[in-house]
Amino acid sequence: FDFCQAEGKKRPSENLGQVLFGERIEPSPYRFTFNKEETCKPVCTKTYDTRKPEDKQKLDFLKKSMLLNYQHHWIVDNMPVTWCYDVEDGQRFCNPGFPIGCYITEDGRPKDACVINSEFHEKDTFYIFNHVDIKIYYHIVENGAVGARLVAAKLEPKSYKHTHPENPDCSGVPMDISNKANGEVKIAYTYSVTFHEEKKIRWASRWDYILESMPHTHIQWFSIMNSLVIVLFLSGMVAMIMLRTLHKDIARYNQMDSTEDAQEEFGWKLVHGDIFRPPRKGMLLSVFLGSGTQILIMTFVTLFFACLGFLSPANRGALMTCAVVLWVLLGTPAGYVAARFYKSFGGEKWKTNVLLTSFLCPGIVFADFFIMNLILWGEGSSAAIPFGTLVAILALWFCISVPLTFIGAYFGFKKNAIEHPVRTNQIPRQIPEQSFYTKPLPGIIMGGILPFGCIFIQLFFILNSIWSHQMYYMFGFLFLVFIILVITCSEATILLCYFHLCAEDYHWQWRSFLTSGFTAVYFLIYAIHYFFSKLQITGTASTILYFGYTMIMVLIFFLFTG
């Protein structure tokens, strides 16, 4: 965008998480001195001559951004500068950004932010917010060091057509850019800043007013209650079925004194000679199990730290940094789990197993990420990750994660294979004709519904925080939902596994992985629905980016639930 630039100032340094999320902080041309108030101070003036093609292109880009309601995000002292305005039922909403401008349609309807001022009434016209009134709130520290701390920064975007850009007076008509305007367009950017003492807000709780006005906190409690009810219901079901049927079955087996009764076995007892037959594609299953363990532990630890408040929104990029570092360090459990399962499946090719564990899933994620980055580079986006960071991520993966996976696999292969309580028969037994709900596909599709029901409200907020730039700070809720999800996945899988073992189908390994893993497919369907119903994304590149990043999330979620 062609706004005022800061001359010769260095960019603030950023951590890994910010770079990965594309949060690039630029220095600002607006200069403040503490307690020195400014009124209508000019920053710079931009002139566009629509007869020149490069000027016309810049102006058109500006118009397009106003049409799509692009936002400025400003930071003062690590606090977002917020724009607070009244919404219905007397509440105030604080938005951590403010729009570039707004548009009045050809039939005179104000769009987005144009409703705030009745002077915006020209049809088919753009109004640019080229003046800001900034209010900075501080509180004087009573004890210890003498000084003041900033507790809030708020602004009001205004639009003025400055007649004398050299010494502006900030009054008069708004700065309008007619859609059909020709000739010269002059936009002067100005600001006013005032300082107010605020005795009530403590420095430690200065984020509260932003978080309070974030919408839908009350829905959260409702959704948690909802999920807990589902979990209690499921747990009750599982406990009932497990206790009743298993108890009944075991009691029945214990009653059989005479040997001739014991000949007529039924249900899951019949498949004891085949239950530990190694699954088809055992290599792939063991690799998935290894990677899934890695992601499960990573998610648990990250959310645990986030609950304790280490990864708050004030600590920019900390969440992503923490997740990436943990993921790299957790190569050992991945290698260990994959090796143990592969050995118990009777696998011999241990080198292939280790290599696949350390390269298959991370490789898919990295390839996807790299392609997305190429698209961002091609579009000239600021969210593109610099080459140095890509090299750094590769170094983390090859120099730390891979050796740790090898160490884990070494210990996994050294231990004896998991002992099975029953011998496997030489000849595989025939599987009888299955009823509809014990066939593989219907069972797997049913299994994914319940875990998805627990998380889908949280999913809405997480997708909002990724794509609509709302802050996500409800890690307590998320941790609770995470625990609920783990329980639900396990219980739904146990239940369905029991049903099809009773139907004498002993291929349970892949089915149990895919039953809860199918939740990821529902997640994908939900993400597609979210794309069409909530986001107004235009353009091929943006669409490819959305689905590219969504596929990474779906893969990680699939491994984790499975």
Side-chain angles (χ1 to χ4, degrees), residues 86-263:
D86 294 314
V87 287
E88 65 265 16
D89 21 284
Q91 289 180 314
R92 274 183 92 62
F93 176 70
C94 288
N95 182 5
F98 69 96
I100 289 176
C102 62
Y103 176 58
I104 305 274
T105 58
E106 291 179 11
D107 50 3
R109 273 187 316 110
K111 283 188 62 164
D112 299 316
C114 276
V115 293
I116 60 170
N117 191 338
S118 56
E119 286 181 7
F120 301 161
H121 52 66
E122 294 288 324
K123 294 179 179 177
D124 195 18
T125 302
F126 292 93
Y127 289 96
I128 188 161
F129 293 129
N130 57 339
H131 172 84
V132 283
D133 289 335
I134 301 175
K135 287 185 184 163
I136 291 183
Y137 297 87
Y138 61 93
H139 100 174
I140 303 224
V141 184
E142 295 90 13
N143 47 6
V146 182
R149 283 174 153 178
L150 306 189
V151 288
K154 298 183 182 179
L155 61 70
E156 284 285 333
K158 298 272 171 58
S159 181
Y160 294 120
K161 193 171 210 160
H162 299 299
T163 36
H164 312 290
E166 295 71 47
N167 71 0
D169 56 350
C170 292
S171 61
V173 292
M175 176 73 219
D176 53 346
I177 305 166
S178 173
N179 207 0
K180 304 183 177 60
N182 282 322
E184 205 172 52
V185 179
K186 245 187 185 175
I187 305 175
Y189 292 94
T190 53
Y191 70 94
S192 307
V193 58
T194 54
F195 288 86
H196 305 266
E197 189 177 350
E198 172 67 79
K199 291 196 167 70
K200 289 196 199 72
I201 304 178
R202 307 293 310 167
W203 190 76
S205 57
R206 60 185 194 157
W207 281 75
D208 291 1
Y209 79 98
I210 305 174
L211 302 183
E212 271 161 20
S213 75
M214 280 287 164
H216 324 299
T217 359
H218 53 281
I219 298 182
Q220 292 291 337
W221 285 111
F222 182 71
S223 84
I224 290 284
M225 286 301 140
N226 187 7
S227 304
L228 279 171
V229 168
I230 291 182
V231 163
L232 286 173
F233 171 71
L234 253 181
S235 303
M237 285 269 297
V238 171
M240 280 278 296
I241 290 188
M242 292 328 254
L243 285 171
R244 278 193 51 193
T245 38
L246 284 177
H247 185 74
K248 223 152 120 193
D249 287 351
I250 289 166
R252 198 186 280 150
Y253 290 130
N254 291 346
Q255 276 171 7
M256 295 181 179
D257 318 324
S258 51
T259 44
E260 57 270 12
D261 285 359
Q263 298 308 315

Side-chain angles (χ1 to χ4, degrees), residues 277-530:
R277 196 174 291 290
R280 296 187 285 261
K281 307 248 189 310
M283 171 77 90
L284 192 61
L285 183 59
S286 63
V287 168
F288 279 178
L289 286 168
S291 299
T293 312
Q294 192 174 4
I295 292 163
L296 182 73
I297 303 173
M298 172 194 90
T299 317
F300 180 79
V301 177
T302 309
L303 285 179
F304 185 69
F305 279 146
C307 276
L308 299 179
F310 293 139
L311 311 173
S312 72
N315 202 345
R316 290 165 201 284
L319 186 74
M320 191 72 175
T321 312
C322 175
V324 170
V325 169
L326 276 171
W327 182 85
V328 166
L329 294 178
L330 287 169
T332 316
Y336 179 77
V337 168
R340 284 289 304 217
F341 275 105
Y342 185 59
K343 193 168 176 184
S344 78
F345 294 155
E348 301 293 326
K349 302 182 217 156
W350 63 272
K351 292 189 187 104
T352 325
N353 182 265
V354 184
L355 286 171
L356 278 177
T357 308
S358 46
F359 292 118
L360 180 69
C361 299
I364 295 172
V365 172
F366 186 79
D368 188 332
F369 201 71
F370 186 69
I371 295 165
M372 296 302 113
N373 207 36
L374 285 180
I375 295 173
L376 285 171
W377 265 335
E379 294 282 315
S381 162
S382 62
I385 293 161
F387 187 69
T389 310
L390 278 179
V391 173
I393 293 172
L394 280 175
L396 281 175
W397 177 21
F398 285 117
C399 305
I400 302 175
S401 184
V402 175
L404 284 175
T405 313
F406 271 82
I407 293 169
Y410 171 74
F411 285 112
F413 277 116
K414 249 183 65 158
K415 287 192 75 160
N416 293 330
I418 303 166
E419 295 252 323
H420 298 316
V422 286
R423 275 204 328 276
T424 303
N425 293 343
Q426 295 286 313
I427 304 159
R429 92 177 243 126
Q430 184 115 20
I431 296 174
E433 184 66 34
Q434 296 292 310
S435 67
F436 175 71
Y437 70 93
T438 54
K439 284 201 180 85
L441 205 58
I444 288 172
I445 291 173
M446 281 192 300
I449 294 176
L450 288 166
F452 181 72
C454 294
I455 59 162
F456 86 102
I457 294 191
Q458 280 299 327
L459 212 53
F460 173 75
F461 292 102
I462 293 170
L463 289 179
N464 262 356
S465 75
I466 296 175
W467 303 115
S468 308
H469 278 288
Q470 293 179 0
M471 271 162 224
Y472 191 87
Y473 56 95
M474 307 178 236
F475 293 112
F477 283 129
L478 194 58
F479 191 65
L480 205 58
V481 168
F482 169 79
I483 302 295
I484 289 174
L485 176 67
V486 170
I487 296 170
T488 324
C489 280
S490 320
E491 290 181 344
T493 310
I494 289 171
L495 212 57
L496 287 159
C497 196
Y498 178 77
F499 285 146
H500 71 243
L501 286 180
C502 284
E504 300 173 35
D505 180 355
Y506 49 83
H507 297 303
W508 60 277
Q509 289 101 330
W510 269 110
R511 280 180 61 162
S512 59
F513 187 88
L514 294 172
T515 299
S516 55
F518 203 78
T519 315
V521 178
Y522 289 111
F523 174 24
L524 178 60
I525 296 168
Y526 184 75
I528 295 169
H529 161 75
Y530 179 84

Side-chain angles (χ1 to χ4, degrees), residues 75-97:
I75 301 171
V76 171
D77 184 40
N78 201 25
M79 285 282 295
V81 181
T82 54
W83 172 38
C84 295
Y85 49 88
D86 294 314
V87 287
E88 65 265 16
D89 21 284
Q91 289 180 314
R92 274 183 92 62
F93 176 70
C94 288
N95 182 5

